[in-house]
Amino acid sequence: MSSQPNDFLERFSLVVGGPFHTVLRRAGLVEADLLSSHRTAFGLALLAWLIPVSLASIQALLDDGYIGLSIFSDLTVYSRYLVAVWVMIATERVADARISLLVRQFPHARLVGEAGLPRFAAAVARADRRSSSKLAEAIILILVLIWSVTVTRFLSAVSVKSWEGAVIDGTVVLSWAGEAAAWLSTPFFLFLVFRWVWRFVVWAALLRSIARLPLQLMPLHPDRAGGLGFLSIFPSVFGGLVFALSCVVASALDKAFVFLEHTQQTIWLAMGAWMVLILVLFLGPLLAFSRPLYLAREHALLDYGRLAQQHHLAFHRKWIEPADAGDELMGSSDPSSVSDLNASVEAVLTMRTFPLDRPALVRLLLTAGIPFLAVAASQMPLNDLLMLILGTIL
Protein backbone atom coordinates (compact mmCIF):
# COMPACT_ATOMS: atom_id res chain seq x y z
CA MET A 1 0.00 0.00 0.00
CA SER A 2 1.34 3.47 -0.82
CA SER A 3 2.48 5.92 1.83
CA GLN A 4 -0.43 8.30 1.23
CA PRO A 5 -3.18 5.78 2.11
CA ASN A 6 -1.09 4.66 5.07
CA ASP A 7 -0.89 8.25 6.30
CA PHE A 8 -4.63 8.58 5.93
CA LEU A 9 -5.29 5.41 7.92
CA GLU A 10 -3.12 6.76 10.72
CA ARG A 11 -5.41 9.79 10.93
CA PHE A 12 -8.65 7.80 10.68
CA SER A 13 -10.88 7.83 13.78
CA LEU A 14 -14.58 7.36 14.51
CA VAL A 15 -14.09 8.89 17.97
CA VAL A 16 -12.05 12.03 17.38
CA GLY A 17 -13.95 14.86 15.70
CA GLY A 18 -17.29 16.59 15.79
CA PRO A 19 -18.61 19.64 17.68
CA PHE A 20 -18.71 17.96 21.09
CA HIS A 21 -15.12 16.79 20.76
CA THR A 22 -14.14 20.33 19.75
CA VAL A 23 -15.73 21.67 22.94
CA LEU A 24 -13.81 19.15 25.04
CA ARG A 25 -10.56 19.98 23.25
CA ARG A 26 -10.95 23.73 23.74
CA ALA A 27 -11.81 23.16 27.38
CA GLY A 28 -8.57 21.20 27.81
CA LEU A 29 -10.41 17.97 28.61
CA VAL A 30 -8.56 15.78 26.09
CA GLU A 31 -5.03 14.41 26.16
CA ALA A 32 -2.27 15.04 23.61
CA ASP A 33 -3.65 12.20 21.45
CA LEU A 34 -7.00 14.08 21.33
CA LEU A 35 -8.77 11.39 23.36
CA SER A 36 -10.53 11.90 26.70
CA SER A 37 -8.79 10.78 29.86
CA HIS A 38 -10.33 8.76 32.69
CA ARG A 39 -10.18 11.91 34.81
CA THR A 40 -12.32 13.73 32.24
CA ALA A 41 -14.79 10.85 32.15
CA PHE A 42 -15.08 10.78 35.94
CA GLY A 43 -15.41 14.56 36.18
CA LEU A 44 -18.20 14.79 33.61
CA ALA A 45 -20.04 11.84 35.15
CA LEU A 46 -19.78 13.35 38.62
CA LEU A 47 -21.04 16.69 37.31
CA ALA A 48 -24.03 15.07 35.59
CA TRP A 49 -24.93 13.30 38.84
CA LEU A 50 -24.10 16.10 41.25
CA ILE A 51 -26.26 18.82 39.66
CA PRO A 52 -29.69 17.15 40.20
CA VAL A 53 -28.59 15.58 43.50
CA SER A 54 -27.47 18.95 44.91
CA LEU A 55 -30.64 20.72 43.80
CA ALA A 56 -32.81 17.93 45.21
CA SER A 57 -31.01 18.15 48.56
CA ILE A 58 -31.31 21.93 48.75
CA GLN A 59 -35.01 21.94 47.83
CA ALA A 60 -35.71 19.14 50.33
CA LEU A 61 -34.19 21.29 53.10
CA LEU A 62 -36.36 24.27 52.13
CA ASP A 63 -39.59 22.38 51.41
CA ASP A 64 -40.79 19.76 53.89
CA GLY A 65 -43.38 18.46 51.41
CA TYR A 66 -40.78 17.63 48.78
CA ILE A 67 -39.35 14.09 48.80
CA GLY A 68 -36.11 15.09 47.13
CA LEU A 69 -33.91 12.84 49.25
CA SER A 70 -35.45 9.84 47.48
CA ILE A 71 -33.03 10.62 44.68
CA PHE A 72 -30.32 8.88 46.72
CA SER A 73 -32.24 5.58 46.61
CA ASP A 74 -33.04 5.81 42.89
CA LEU A 75 -30.69 3.38 41.13
CA THR A 76 -31.49 4.86 37.72
CA VAL A 77 -29.82 8.12 38.79
CA TYR A 78 -26.56 6.31 39.56
CA SER A 79 -26.70 4.05 36.50
CA ARG A 80 -27.39 6.90 34.06
CA TYR A 81 -25.32 9.78 35.30
CA LEU A 82 -22.45 8.09 37.13
CA VAL A 83 -21.93 4.66 35.58
CA ALA A 84 -23.16 5.08 32.00
CA VAL A 85 -21.68 8.54 31.40
CA TRP A 86 -18.32 7.49 32.84
CA VAL A 87 -18.19 4.22 30.89
CA MET A 88 -19.17 5.77 27.56
CA ILE A 89 -16.45 8.43 27.80
CA ALA A 90 -13.77 6.28 29.45
CA THR A 91 -13.99 3.51 26.84
CA GLU A 92 -13.53 5.85 23.87
CA ARG A 93 -9.77 5.38 23.99
CA VAL A 94 -10.00 1.58 23.78
CA ALA A 95 -12.68 1.77 21.08
CA ASP A 96 -10.63 4.17 18.96
CA ALA A 97 -7.54 1.96 19.12
CA ARG A 98 -9.45 -1.19 18.19
CA ILE A 99 -11.41 0.40 15.35
CA SER A 100 -8.18 1.75 13.85
CA LEU A 101 -6.58 -1.67 14.24
CA LEU A 102 -9.46 -3.41 12.49
CA VAL A 103 -9.55 -0.96 9.58
CA ARG A 104 -5.78 -1.10 9.02
CA GLN A 105 -5.85 -4.90 9.01
CA PHE A 106 -7.74 -5.08 5.72
CA PRO A 107 -4.99 -3.52 3.57
CA HIS A 108 -2.09 -4.67 5.74
CA ALA A 109 -3.19 -8.33 5.54
CA ARG A 110 -3.85 -7.83 1.81
CA LEU A 111 -7.48 -8.76 2.20
CA VAL A 112 -8.13 -5.81 -0.09
CA GLY A 113 -6.20 -6.16 -3.32
CA GLU A 114 -4.60 -3.35 -5.31
CA ALA A 115 -7.70 -3.00 -7.50
CA GLY A 116 -9.94 -2.41 -4.46
CA LEU A 117 -7.68 0.02 -2.57
CA PRO A 118 -9.16 3.24 -4.07
CA ARG A 119 -12.69 2.16 -3.15
CA PHE A 120 -11.47 1.09 0.30
CA ALA A 121 -9.82 4.47 0.90
CA ALA A 122 -12.99 6.26 -0.27
CA ALA A 123 -15.16 4.21 2.12
CA VAL A 124 -12.86 4.93 5.06
CA ALA A 125 -12.79 8.66 4.24
CA ARG A 126 -16.57 8.70 4.02
CA ALA A 127 -16.88 7.02 7.42
CA ASP A 128 -14.43 9.49 8.94
CA ARG A 129 -16.48 12.45 7.67
CA ARG A 130 -19.77 10.98 8.82
CA SER A 131 -18.52 10.25 12.33
CA SER A 132 -17.58 13.94 12.73
CA SER A 133 -20.76 15.31 11.16
CA LYS A 134 -21.97 18.58 12.68
CA LEU A 135 -25.45 17.96 11.31
CA ALA A 136 -25.66 14.53 12.96
CA GLU A 137 -24.70 15.90 16.38
CA ALA A 138 -27.11 18.84 16.01
CA ILE A 139 -29.99 16.49 15.20
CA ILE A 140 -29.03 14.24 18.12
CA LEU A 141 -28.97 17.22 20.50
CA ILE A 142 -32.41 18.44 19.41
CA LEU A 143 -33.93 14.97 19.65
CA VAL A 144 -32.54 14.22 23.11
CA LEU A 145 -33.76 17.56 24.50
CA ILE A 146 -37.29 16.94 23.24
CA TRP A 147 -37.22 13.32 24.42
CA SER A 148 -35.78 14.17 27.84
CA VAL A 149 -38.28 16.90 28.72
CA THR A 150 -41.23 14.85 27.47
CA VAL A 151 -40.24 11.65 29.28
CA THR A 152 -39.38 13.44 32.54
CA ARG A 153 -42.82 15.04 32.64
CA PHE A 154 -44.48 11.75 31.73
CA LEU A 155 -42.69 9.85 34.52
CA SER A 156 -43.58 12.57 37.02
CA ALA A 157 -47.24 12.29 35.97
CA VAL A 158 -47.22 8.50 36.28
CA SER A 159 -45.53 8.40 39.69
CA VAL A 160 -47.66 11.38 40.90
CA LYS A 161 -44.90 12.38 43.35
CA SER A 162 -41.15 11.80 43.09
CA TRP A 163 -37.85 13.67 43.34
CA GLU A 164 -38.38 14.74 39.71
CA GLY A 165 -41.66 16.52 40.43
CA ALA A 166 -45.30 16.14 41.37
CA VAL A 167 -48.78 16.46 39.91
CA ILE A 168 -50.48 19.53 41.36
CA ASP A 169 -54.09 20.25 40.35
CA GLY A 170 -53.67 17.97 37.35
CA THR A 171 -50.53 19.74 36.16
CA VAL A 172 -47.03 18.29 36.24
CA VAL A 173 -44.69 20.58 38.16
CA LEU A 174 -41.03 19.64 37.96
CA SER A 175 -38.75 20.14 40.93
CA TRP A 176 -35.42 21.93 40.69
CA ALA A 177 -33.72 18.57 40.33
CA GLY A 178 -36.35 17.50 37.79
CA GLU A 179 -35.71 20.59 35.68
CA ALA A 180 -31.94 20.03 35.88
CA ALA A 181 -32.35 16.39 34.93
CA ALA A 182 -34.71 17.22 32.06
CA TRP A 183 -32.54 19.97 30.55
CA LEU A 184 -28.99 19.01 31.54
CA SER A 185 -28.15 15.59 33.00
CA THR A 186 -30.52 13.38 31.02
CA PRO A 187 -29.88 15.13 27.68
CA PHE A 188 -26.14 14.78 28.30
CA PHE A 189 -26.54 11.07 29.01
CA LEU A 190 -28.79 10.55 25.98
CA PHE A 191 -26.48 12.62 23.78
CA LEU A 192 -23.59 10.31 24.61
CA VAL A 193 -25.78 7.24 23.96
CA PHE A 194 -26.95 8.40 20.54
CA ARG A 195 -23.49 9.67 19.68
CA TRP A 196 -22.25 6.12 20.23
CA VAL A 197 -25.21 4.76 18.27
CA TRP A 198 -24.30 7.07 15.37
CA ARG A 199 -20.72 5.76 15.47
CA PHE A 200 -22.11 2.23 15.38
CA VAL A 201 -24.25 3.06 12.33
CA VAL A 202 -21.23 4.61 10.58
CA TRP A 203 -19.09 1.57 11.45
CA ALA A 204 -21.77 -0.84 10.19
CA ALA A 205 -22.00 1.10 6.92
CA LEU A 206 -18.20 0.97 6.57
CA LEU A 207 -18.15 -2.81 7.07
CA ARG A 208 -20.90 -3.17 4.48
CA SER A 209 -18.88 -1.13 1.98
CA ILE A 210 -15.74 -3.19 2.66
CA ALA A 211 -17.67 -6.45 2.28
CA ARG A 212 -18.66 -5.38 -1.24
CA LEU A 213 -15.03 -4.99 -2.31
CA PRO A 214 -13.21 -7.79 -4.19
CA LEU A 215 -11.75 -9.31 -1.03
CA GLN A 216 -8.87 -11.80 -1.19
CA LEU A 217 -10.23 -14.41 1.20
CA MET A 218 -8.08 -17.46 1.91
CA PRO A 219 -10.15 -20.61 2.59
CA LEU A 220 -7.13 -22.37 4.17
CA HIS A 221 -6.49 -19.58 6.66
CA PRO A 222 -6.12 -21.06 10.17
CA ASP A 223 -8.73 -18.70 11.64
CA ARG A 224 -11.36 -20.68 9.64
CA ALA A 225 -12.87 -17.39 8.48
CA GLY A 226 -10.87 -16.78 5.30
CA GLY A 227 -8.59 -14.33 7.11
CA LEU A 228 -11.47 -12.32 8.63
CA GLY A 229 -11.18 -13.94 12.05
CA PHE A 230 -9.75 -10.69 13.46
CA LEU A 231 -13.27 -9.22 13.21
CA SER A 232 -14.06 -11.10 16.44
CA ILE A 233 -12.52 -8.05 18.08
CA PHE A 234 -15.42 -5.96 16.74
CA PRO A 235 -18.03 -6.58 19.52
CA SER A 236 -15.57 -5.43 22.21
CA VAL A 237 -15.30 -2.05 20.45
CA PHE A 238 -18.81 -1.26 21.62
CA GLY A 239 -18.54 -3.11 24.93
CA GLY A 240 -18.70 0.16 26.85
CA LEU A 241 -21.97 1.13 25.18
CA VAL A 242 -23.45 -2.34 25.76
CA PHE A 243 -22.48 -2.31 29.45
CA ALA A 244 -23.76 1.25 29.95
CA LEU A 245 -27.12 0.50 28.34
CA SER A 246 -27.41 -2.78 30.25
CA CYS A 247 -26.85 -0.96 33.55
CA VAL A 248 -29.54 1.59 32.71
CA VAL A 249 -32.07 -1.03 31.55
CA ALA A 250 -31.36 -3.27 34.56
CA SER A 251 -31.75 -0.40 37.05
CA ALA A 252 -34.99 0.71 35.37
CA LEU A 253 -36.25 -2.88 35.62
CA ASP A 254 -35.32 -2.99 39.31
CA LYS A 255 -37.17 0.31 39.86
CA ALA A 256 -40.26 -1.00 38.05
CA PHE A 257 -40.31 -4.08 40.29
CA VAL A 258 -41.05 -1.81 43.25
CA PHE A 259 -44.40 -0.80 41.73
CA LEU A 260 -45.34 -3.91 39.76
CA GLU A 261 -45.97 -7.50 40.78
CA HIS A 262 -43.40 -9.84 39.34
CA THR A 263 -41.88 -13.29 39.64
CA GLN A 264 -38.30 -14.46 39.40
CA GLN A 265 -39.05 -15.71 35.90
CA THR A 266 -39.75 -12.12 34.87
CA ILE A 267 -36.13 -11.20 35.57
CA TRP A 268 -34.78 -14.03 33.44
CA LEU A 269 -37.22 -13.33 30.63
CA ALA A 270 -36.22 -9.66 30.59
CA MET A 271 -32.55 -10.60 30.72
CA GLY A 272 -32.95 -13.11 27.90
CA ALA A 273 -34.89 -10.68 25.71
CA TRP A 274 -32.29 -7.96 26.25
CA MET A 275 -29.36 -10.24 25.44
CA VAL A 276 -31.07 -11.46 22.25
CA LEU A 277 -31.61 -7.83 21.24
CA ILE A 278 -27.94 -7.04 21.92
CA LEU A 279 -26.78 -10.01 19.85
CA VAL A 280 -29.00 -9.07 16.92
CA LEU A 281 -27.96 -5.41 16.96
CA PHE A 282 -24.24 -5.71 17.61
CA LEU A 283 -23.51 -8.83 15.57
CA GLY A 284 -25.75 -7.88 12.67
CA PRO A 285 -23.09 -5.82 10.81
CA LEU A 286 -20.88 -8.91 10.51
CA LEU A 287 -23.56 -10.55 8.37
CA ALA A 288 -22.27 -8.36 5.52
CA PHE A 289 -19.32 -10.77 5.23
CA SER A 290 -21.43 -13.94 5.21
CA ARG A 291 -22.01 -13.90 1.47
CA PRO A 292 -18.32 -13.32 0.52
CA LEU A 293 -17.29 -16.07 2.95
CA TYR A 294 -19.96 -18.43 1.65
CA LEU A 295 -18.90 -17.85 -1.95
CA ALA A 296 -15.22 -18.28 -1.04
CA ARG A 297 -16.01 -21.56 0.72
CA GLU A 298 -18.14 -22.76 -2.19
CA HIS A 299 -15.44 -22.01 -4.77
CA ALA A 300 -12.77 -23.56 -2.57
CA LEU A 301 -14.78 -26.76 -2.19
CA LEU A 302 -14.91 -27.04 -5.96
CA ASP A 303 -11.25 -26.11 -6.53
CA TYR A 304 -9.72 -28.21 -3.76
CA GLY A 305 -12.18 -31.02 -4.36
CA ARG A 306 -11.16 -31.16 -8.03
CA LEU A 307 -7.47 -31.03 -7.09
CA ALA A 308 -7.88 -33.81 -4.51
CA GLN A 309 -9.84 -35.95 -6.98
CA GLN A 310 -7.16 -35.61 -9.66
CA HIS A 311 -4.35 -36.29 -7.19
CA HIS A 312 -6.04 -39.28 -5.60
CA LEU A 313 -6.86 -40.82 -8.98
CA ALA A 314 -3.20 -40.52 -9.96
CA PHE A 315 -2.19 -41.99 -6.61
CA HIS A 316 -4.60 -44.91 -7.09
CA ARG A 317 -3.29 -45.67 -10.59
CA LYS A 318 0.31 -45.51 -9.46
CA TRP A 319 0.18 -47.42 -6.18
CA ILE A 320 -3.02 -49.46 -5.99
CA GLU A 321 -3.49 -50.85 -9.50
CA PRO A 322 0.08 -52.25 -10.00
CA ALA A 323 0.45 -55.65 -8.37
CA ASP A 324 4.05 -55.02 -7.20
CA ALA A 325 3.48 -51.55 -5.71
CA GLY A 326 4.20 -52.57 -2.12
CA ASP A 327 8.00 -52.38 -2.25
CA GLU A 328 8.13 -49.07 -4.08
CA LEU A 329 5.71 -47.49 -1.61
CA MET A 330 8.27 -47.65 1.18
CA GLY A 331 9.83 -44.21 1.68
CA SER A 332 7.59 -42.52 -0.91
CA SER A 333 6.31 -39.00 -0.23
CA ASP A 334 3.06 -39.59 -2.13
CA PRO A 335 1.06 -40.78 0.93
CA SER A 336 1.98 -37.60 2.79
CA SER A 337 0.66 -35.50 -0.12
CA VAL A 338 -2.63 -37.41 0.16
CA SER A 339 -2.80 -36.53 3.83
CA ASP A 340 -1.98 -32.86 3.13
CA LEU A 341 -4.66 -32.58 0.47
CA ASN A 342 -7.23 -34.25 2.73
CA ALA A 343 -6.34 -31.79 5.49
CA SER A 344 -6.82 -28.90 3.06
CA VAL A 345 -10.27 -30.10 2.05
CA GLU A 346 -11.22 -30.61 5.71
CA ALA A 347 -10.06 -27.06 6.47
CA VAL A 348 -12.33 -25.74 3.72
CA LEU A 349 -15.24 -27.81 5.04
CA THR A 350 -14.83 -26.27 8.53
CA MET A 351 -14.61 -22.72 7.18
CA ARG A 352 -17.13 -20.43 8.90
CA THR A 353 -19.42 -18.07 7.01
CA PHE A 354 -19.72 -15.76 10.04
CA PRO A 355 -16.45 -14.18 11.26
CA LEU A 356 -17.00 -14.54 15.00
CA ASP A 357 -15.57 -17.02 17.47
CA ARG A 358 -17.09 -18.35 20.69
CA PRO A 359 -14.92 -16.35 23.15
CA ALA A 360 -16.04 -13.07 21.53
CA LEU A 361 -19.67 -14.16 21.79
CA VAL A 362 -19.26 -15.10 25.46
CA ARG A 363 -17.63 -11.73 26.26
CA LEU A 364 -20.52 -9.86 24.65
CA LEU A 365 -23.10 -11.90 26.55
CA LEU A 366 -21.30 -11.34 29.85
CA THR A 367 -21.05 -7.61 29.21
CA ALA A 368 -24.79 -7.42 28.57
CA GLY A 369 -25.81 -9.83 31.31
CA ILE A 370 -23.77 -8.87 34.38
CA PRO A 371 -25.96 -5.83 35.32
CA PHE A 372 -29.05 -8.05 35.18
CA LEU A 373 -27.42 -10.55 37.53
CA ALA A 374 -27.09 -7.71 40.04
CA VAL A 375 -30.83 -7.06 39.72
CA ALA A 376 -31.57 -10.77 40.12
CA ALA A 377 -29.40 -10.85 43.25
CA SER A 378 -31.49 -8.05 44.76
CA GLN A 379 -34.75 -9.85 44.01
CA MET A 380 -33.90 -13.39 45.12
CA PRO A 381 -31.70 -15.05 47.75
CA LEU A 382 -28.03 -15.28 46.77
CA ASN A 383 -27.93 -19.04 47.36
CA ASP A 384 -30.87 -19.57 44.98
CA LEU A 385 -29.20 -17.35 42.38
CA LEU A 386 -25.90 -19.24 42.58
CA MET A 387 -27.63 -22.61 42.39
CA LEU A 388 -29.62 -21.46 39.35
CA ILE A 389 -26.49 -20.22 37.56
CA LEU A 390 -24.49 -23.35 38.38
CA GLY A 391 -27.39 -25.56 37.35
CA THR A 392 -27.61 -23.76 34.01
CA ILE A 393 -23.86 -24.06 33.38
CA LEU A 394 -23.48 -27.66 34.54
Side-chain angles (χ1 to χ4, degrees), residues 3 61-62 87 98 116 118 122 129 165 195 210 214 235 256 275-276 290 296 300 303 326-327 331 343 387:
S3 60
L61 291 175
L62 300 177
V87 168
R98 293 188 175 183
R129 290 194 304 271
R195 190 163 169 258
I210 294 175
M275 294 176 76
V276 168
S290 292
D303 294 338
D327 295 336
M387 290 299 295

Side-chain angles (χ1 to χ4, degrees), residues 109-359:
R110 298 186 179 180
L111 285 159
V112 178
E114 291 292 333
L117 285 180
R119 291 171 57 190
F120 173 79
V124 173
R126 186 166 54 249
D128 193 56
R129 290 194 304 271
R130 288 174 174 174
S131 66
S132 304
S133 171
K134 295 179 180 179
L135 178 61
E137 289 198 11
I139 293 174
I140 289 173
L141 182 60
I142 293 172
L143 290 177
V144 299
L145 283 172
I146 295 174
W147 175 266
S148 175
V149 174
T150 303
V151 170
T152 301
R153 290 186 176 277
F154 173 77
L155 293 177
S156 298
V158 171
S159 60
V160 181
K161 194 173 186 181
S162 68
W163 65 267
E164 293 172 300
V167 178
I168 301 176
D169 297 329
T171 303
V172 176
V173 178
L174 296 181
S175 64
W176 298 350
E179 293 284 1
W183 291 99
L184 294 174
S185 297
T186 299
F188 181 52
F189 155 72
L190 290 175
F191 177 81
L192 293 178
V193 170
F194 285 105
R195 190 163 169 258
W196 267 106
V197 170
W198 174 242
R199 290 169 180 165
F200 177 78
V201 171
V202 172
W203 173 245
L206 175 58
L207 290 181
R208 186 167 179 265
S209 298
I210 294 175
R212 292 182 171 183
L213 297 176
L215 299 177
Q216 299 180 146
L217 301 178
M218 292 293 104
L220 297 184
H221 198 286
D223 66 6
R224 296 193 301 162
L228 295 176
F230 67 94
L231 287 174
S232 289
I233 300 174
F234 154 60
S236 64
V237 171
F238 297 93
L241 176 62
V242 172
F243 183 76
L245 291 178
S246 296
C247 287
V248 173
V249 173
S251 63
L253 183 65
D254 185 73
K255 185 178 181 178
F257 284 162
V258 176
F259 304 100
L260 302 174
E261 294 184 1
H262 65 279
T263 62
Q264 294 178 0
Q265 286 73 18
T266 306
I267 301 174
W268 301 111
L269 286 175
M271 180 178 175
W274 175 250
M275 294 176 76
V276 168
L277 179 63
I278 290 296
L279 290 178
V280 171
L281 290 178
F282 287 90
L283 298 184
L286 293 179
L287 288 173
F289 294 96
S290 292
R291 177 172 172 78
L293 285 170
Y294 175 82
L295 292 176
R297 182 180 182 273
E298 187 177 67
H299 293 157
L301 283 175
L302 294 173
D303 294 338
Y304 285 92
R306 182 170 59 252
L307 177 62
Q309 177 70 7
Q310 293 171 354
H311 178 275
H312 294 351
L313 280 174
F315 178 87
H316 182 83
R317 293 191 186 105
K318 181 177 180 180
W319 298 111
I320 303 301
E321 291 182 357
D324 57 347
D327 295 336
E328 297 181 18
L329 186 61
M330 299 299 295
S332 172
S333 60
D334 286 356
S336 63
S337 65
V338 171
S339 177
D340 293 340
L341 268 176
N342 288 344
S344 298
V345 174
E346 289 176 3
V348 173
L349 287 171
T350 58
M351 181 179 173
R352 302 193 305 267
T353 57
F354 191 72
L356 186 77
D357 56 20
R358 183 176 298 178

Side-chain angles (χ1 to χ4, degrees), residues 15-30 34 36 40 44 134 137 141 188 191 195:
V15 174
V16 176
F20 179 68
H21 181 267
T22 301
V23 171
L24 293 180
R25 180 170 54 81
R26 292 179 177 177
L29 297 178
V30 297
L34 300 181
S36 301
T40 296
L44 292 175
K134 295 179 180 179
E137 289 198 11
L141 182 60
F188 181 52
F191 177 81
R195 190 163 169 258

